[in-house]
Amino acid sequence: RAKDTGGGRVEVYEAHMHADVVRRLDMASDLQRAIAREELQLQYQPIVELATSRVTGAEALIRWRRGDEAVSPRAFLAVAEDSGLIVALGEWVLRKVCQQGAAWRDASWDVGVSVNIALRQLNAPHFPAQVAAALAESGLPPSALTIELSERMLVEDAGLIADRLAELHDLGVKLAIDDFGTGYASLAHLRQLPADIIKIDPSFISGLGQDPVLAMLTKTIVQVGRDLGMQVVAEGIEQPRQLAELREMGCGYGQGFLVARPMAAPGVEALIRTGVGEQVSRTGSAPDVN
Ligand code: C2E
Ligand code: MG
Ligand code: MG
Ligand code: MG
């Protein structure tokens, strides 16, 4: 279609598209090699119970150093999803996360692990079997694994997704709806999902303490989640006033740079032992670790 208009502009446009395709292919082949060599890393971001400041779990977040550059996860995950590499990458992540969770539980820490899943992984027919295998190999109890699915995925193919979620639910893992409030799932829709956890998107949390409308919306999500028997996690807590407001509205759990940044596993272990910092801890003293 563009060809009809003729002229140099089209060539420039095509050259630009070409460069983008090459860049993505190049990234895909580097990524494939990095996966094969196990050059990717997982960081873990602690999740705390807001009433006690106790670390109750940690979310695995993938990291890739490509030469000197730390590539943004969103950028390489998009390439991984388009190329299909996400399936192999996701399986590796799942295994690692289950092993890490099992190691923490072997140390007698009562913490869970959370893993993010892309739509293409969820749609792979063997995905539930992959999850079951990762649990069995590691010995992690299913209830200690949370699978996070972005709210935006849930509207893609509602029938298929519902079947998938039911299969996963039957394995005994927990299901979390990530980025809640950014997609099209309504609060009424929540009732039909076999979800255990809602993660409120940072775009709500960032306005707490200054925007009354966002505060009201957040409070409503917290209440509906609680009425449905779900755990509610606030994501992206950066400011003490946001934390204070979340506590006041009875939000159960929180995660964000104020609480703890994503870090390597030993950092999480230290926080499980000593508790999170004073600006987060309600009493100013480190909570007990059983
Ligand atoms: P997400 O699951 O919603 O993860 C939360 C993101 O917010 C992470 O970004 C985290 O580093 C960041 N974050 C946490 N606390 C704060 C805060 O207080 N302020 C701000 N500004 N950001 C905060 P990250 O690590 O770049 O990951 C981006 C997204 O990539 C994730 O969003 C998730 O959807 C996806 N992702 C990450 N790891 C994996 C993975 O192993 N597999 C899959 N399929 N997706 C992954
Ligand atoms: Mg997540
Ligand atoms: Mg999120
Ligand atoms: Mg997010």
Side-chain angles (χ1 to χ4, degrees):
R1 334 148 228 147
K3 289 229 152 53
D4 296 345
T5 61
R9 258 178 69 203
V10 172
E11 274 164 38
V12 170
Y13 178 63
E14 286 180 344
H16 172 77
M17 296 244 302
H18 181 72
D20 193 54
V21 170
V22 168
R23 188 187 59 79
R24 290 171 72 93
L25 282 175
D26 205 40
M27 187 183 272
S29 76
D30 281 6
L31 184 58
Q32 184 167 29
R33 200 173 316 118
I35 294 167
R37 294 181 182 167
E38 301 206 17
E39 286 170 359
L40 288 104
Q41 273 117 40
L42 288 176
Q43 291 201 331
Y44 292 85
Q45 187 176 32
I47 300 169
V48 299
E49 184 177 41
L50 293 182
T52 59
S53 304
R54 186 175 81 87
V55 176
T56 57
E59 176 180 7
L61 295 162
I62 190 122
R63 297 287 179 262
W64 180 26
R65 286 208 68 88
R66 187 190 189 196
D68 293 336
E69 179 206 8
V71 190
S72 141
R74 287 188 210 279
F76 75 80
L77 286 165
V79 169
E81 192 148 10
D82 288 351
S83 61
L85 285 170
I86 191 74
V87 175
L89 176 58
E91 181 164 21
W92 178 81
V93 170
L94 199 55
R95 281 219 166 96
K96 282 286 197 197
V97 170
C98 288
Q99 284 165 10
Q100 185 60 71
W104 284 335
R105 297 184 79 86
D106 283 348
S108 296
W109 290 319
D110 183 19
V111 292
V113 279
S114 303
V115 63
N116 293 285
I117 297 296
L119 183 62
R120 192 150 175 178
Q121 286 177 271
L122 187 70
N123 280 339
H126 58 292
F127 181 65
Q130 225 176 58
V131 174
L135 289 168
E137 273 167 31
S138 62
L140 184 71
S143 62
L145 178 67
T146 296
I147 290 189
E148 297 195 0
L149 307 162
S150 178
E151 186 199 11
R152 277 166 302 232
M153 289 164 54
L154 301 178
V155 292
E156 289 281 324
D157 182 347
L160 181 79
I161 302 274
D163 289 351
R164 245 50 232 295
L165 297 192
E167 275 179 86
L168 290 169
H169 199 71
D170 288 346
L171 289 177
V173 301
K174 290 191 183 146
L175 296 176
I177 304 177
D178 206 349
D179 313 317
F180 190 82
T182 60
Y184 301 99
S186 65
L187 286 171
H189 182 205
L190 264 184
R191 212 160 34 119
Q192 290 142 23
L193 296 168
D196 307 282
I197 297 161
I198 307 173
K199 300 191 77 170
I200 308 177
D201 193 72
S203 54
F204 292 84
I205 310 309
S206 62
L208 293 183
Q210 53 190 40
D211 183 336
V213 174
L214 282 176
M216 184 197 69
L217 291 171
T218 305
K219 197 169 177 181
T220 302
I221 299 173
V222 168
Q223 275 165 359
V224 171
R226 205 173 13 183
D227 290 348
L228 291 173
M230 296 177 180
Q231 294 182 348
V232 181
V233 183
E235 263 198 301
I237 305 173
E238 293 183 347
Q239 309 284 338
R241 62 163 194 271
Q242 297 162 355
L243 180 64
E245 233 184 283
L246 286 162
R247 277 181 168 142
E248 204 170 309
M249 42 178 92
C251 180
Y253 300 85
Q255 190 180 352
F257 293 167
L258 176 70
V259 179
R261 292 192 170 252
M263 55 184 81
V268 179
E269 288 155 25
L271 286 182
I272 294 171
R273 276 203 215 91
T274 64
V276 287
E278 190 149 328
Q279 78 274 33
V280 175
S281 177
R282 206 167 209 176
T283 57
S285 64
D288 285 346
V289 176
N290 53 339

